[in-house]
Amino acid sequence: MAEPAKAKILLERVEKRYPTPRSEVEALGGLDFHVWDGEFFCILGPSGCGKSTLLRILAGLDTASAGRIRITSGAGGRPLTSMVFQEESTLPWMSVRDNVAFGLEMRGLSRRARHERVGPIIQKVGLSHFADYYPHQLSGGMRQRVSIARALANDPEVLLMDEPFASLDAQNRLILQAELLRIWEEARKTVVYITHSLDEAISLGDRILVMTARPGRIKRLLAVDLPRPRDIVSVRAHPRYAALHQELWDVLEDEVRQSRQAQGEL
């Protein structure tokens, strides 16, 4: 078996604590795992378990309280990470084209070079006919495509995605999952993907890390032994799919109940 030291992302005993007026809140409790280069790695867990905190730490938007994180940089001077958020993140005063090119502008590329690079990306996410539109002229699903295109245009070594389709209706969610899977199959970029959805994790992921209720720890790391390439709808008919779904729920159910209890929902 390959050594974790050769992994794209390596976490060792990573903890996160937040100070409060009286004490500390432990958000993450000693995480040890790795992500291979080119892997689609899903993280699943109950609300409040620290999934988004973990992703923000990987993105450099927050810092760990303890432990070590290593993201190995390859050649070429590309950004190490880009992040796609669940919340609306398009810039309302910019067209689709300029939104997608924003990261490239921050890196100092000329307007011509930016537009040459973003054209194929906009086409890839199905927005070629809307390149000159503004966010208020687009649906929620189309705005999220803009966010994904912006991250892809920046060509990061690692793409971090925090429940990017959670706010969409079921039909748009399926469409964008299929588009994301198609794009990933072409590029094989390293992806760390946060989700609450068992279906989404199984359909998209190579491996699924299941976290405990807060403080977030690793409860199980599950390999998704479904063949690739995958079709986002027909994969659900695979004989192994139902067994994986049940196995995940058996692991996760107690953690979801504990989380709801802690939040006063049970």
Side-chain angles (χ1 to χ4, degrees):
M1 183 177 176
E3 292 293 327
K6 298 178 182 178
K8 185 68 175 176
I9 302 172
L10 180 65
L11 285 81
E12 296 176 333
R13 301 178 299 279
V14 171
E15 302 176 7
K16 179 64 180 179
R17 297 179 295 275
Y18 291 103
T20 67
R22 295 186 178 181
S23 60
E24 285 186 326
V25 172
E26 188 180 11
L28 297 173
L31 296 178
D32 288 274
F33 68 89
H34 62 274
V35 180
W36 301 121
D37 190 23
E39 184 174 23
F40 202 120
F41 189 86
C42 290
I43 300 177
L44 184 69
S47 296
C49 74
K51 299 186 299 298
S52 294
T53 297
L54 172 58
L55 210 66
R56 290 178 62 84
I57 291 172
L58 291 175
L61 301 175
D62 203 345
T63 56
S65 303
R68 172 175 171 255
I69 298 172
R70 190 201 73 215
I71 304 178
T72 303
S73 179
R78 293 184 293 150
L80 196 55
T81 65
S82 286
M83 188 159 172
V84 179
F85 298 91
Q86 176 183 343
E87 300 84 7
E88 174 65 49
S89 62
T90 52
L91 303 172
W93 61 89
M94 287 187 176
S95 67
V96 166
R97 182 181 287 107
D98 288 339
N99 260 286
V100 174
F102 182 71
L104 302 176
E105 182 180 4
M106 294 299 98
R107 289 166 57 192
L109 272 72
S110 69
R111 185 172 182 84
R112 180 176 179 179
R114 296 196 304 267
H115 285 188
E116 285 177 355
R117 184 177 295 190
V118 304
I121 301 293
I122 291 173
Q123 183 176 20
K124 192 169 287 189
V125 298
L127 291 174
S128 293
H129 297 300
F130 303 92
D132 296 316
Y133 282 49
Y134 286 81
H136 73 273
Q137 297 173 298
L138 306 176
S139 68
M142 293 168 78
R143 288 195 295 273
Q144 197 63 326
R145 289 190 211 183
V146 174
S147 298
I148 293 169
R150 181 171 58 207
L152 291 172
N154 218 21
D155 194 23
E157 296 190 37
V158 177
L159 184 59
L160 306 170
M161 309 188 79
D162 189 3
E163 298 191 73
F165 309 140
S167 62
L168 304 180
D169 63 73
Q171 294 172 0
N172 273 309
R173 192 158 58 244
L174 277 175
I175 289 170
L176 290 187
Q177 286 171 357
E179 289 182 353
L180 175 62
L181 198 55
R182 174 179 55 80
I183 291 167
W184 178 82
E185 294 278 6
E186 292 174 3
R188 293 288 171 145
K189 192 177 293 294
T190 305
V191 176
V192 180
Y193 191 99
I194 302 292
T195 182
H196 274 100
S197 168
L198 280 66
D199 289 328
E200 192 167 61
I202 297 169
S203 300
L204 297 176
D206 290 311
R207 288 188 298 155
I208 303 169
L209 186 153
V210 181
M211 293 178 65
T212 66
R214 192 178 70 191
R217 297 186 172 92
I218 298 172
K219 183 161 187 180
R220 180 76 62 84
L221 190 55
L222 180 72
V224 181
D225 52 350
L226 293 170
R228 291 194 185 274
R230 295 177 194 162
D231 176 87
I232 205 70
V233 175
S234 61
V235 71
R236 290 166 167 80
H238 193 281
R240 181 73 179 120
Y241 184 90
L244 283 168
H245 195 285
Q246 186 63 55
E247 186 175 352
L248 267 181
W249 181 240
D250 288 345
V251 172
L252 189 61
E253 183 178 11
D254 285 347
E255 304 305 324
V256 172
R257 291 186 181 279
Q258 284 184 41
S259 178
R260 287 171 60 88
Q261 222 166 19
Q263 297 173 40
E265 295 181 13
L266 285 178

